[in-house]
Amino acid sequence: MTDTNRLMQQDVMEYESRLKHLDKLLERAHQGVGKGTEHSEIRSSLESMKQERDRFSGLIDELRLKPLENWREEEIEMAGPMGIWDAMGQQLEKLVERIEH
């Protein structure tokens, strides 16, 4: 296995791990939010975050299918979605804290 292939697999595993974390946070938030009008803003935020989660999941799928020779160059140019994952995770954690407390 080449170093580039190993790096690619590590990145995919890291992205998948973050996706699982986001899924858990989304589930907790969905369980904690009520159905009343007082929670409509939270439900709207959750729906937006779910759409973003789905978009990032698609990016992971694209990364898995990307030809190895194109992967490294494109990843360097793109700088990876880690910053976006972190920001979304922080938003979800704050939302879950708000709902659960």
Side-chain angles (χ1 to χ4, degrees), residues 25-41:
L25 288 171
L26 281 167
E27 180 61 31
R28 284 174 56 194
H30 277 290
Q31 288 176 355
V33 70
K35 302 227 184 274
T37 58
E38 69 275 9
H39 294 140
S40 63
E41 180 183 332

Side-chain angles (χ1 to χ4, degrees), residues 24-97:
K24 288 177 185 177
L25 288 171
L26 281 167
E27 180 61 31
R28 284 174 56 194
H30 277 290
Q31 288 176 355
V33 70
K35 302 227 184 274
T37 58
E38 69 275 9
H39 294 140
S40 63
E41 180 183 332
I42 292 173
R43 284 192 305 274
S44 178
S45 293
L46 280 173
E47 184 56 36
S48 294
M49 289 181 197
K50 173 77 169 80
Q51 289 173 358
E52 282 295 301
R53 177 255 177 246
D54 292 345
R55 187 173 71 83
F56 293 129
S57 177
L59 291 174
I60 292 172
D61 292 338
E62 288 176 21
L63 182 60
R64 266 192 226 106
L65 299 173
K66 188 181 293 186
L68 185 59
E69 58 272 4
N70 297 339
W71 177 81
R72 188 71 177 148
E73 182 179 319
E74 290 177 20
E75 278 300 297
I76 290 170
E77 289 174 12
M78 192 172 87
M82 284 304 195
I84 298 168
W85 285 110
D86 288 340
M88 187 174 173
Q90 289 173 4
Q91 285 180 320
L92 273 169
E93 286 171 355
K94 287 178 185 176
L95 185 62
V96 167
E97 284 178 19

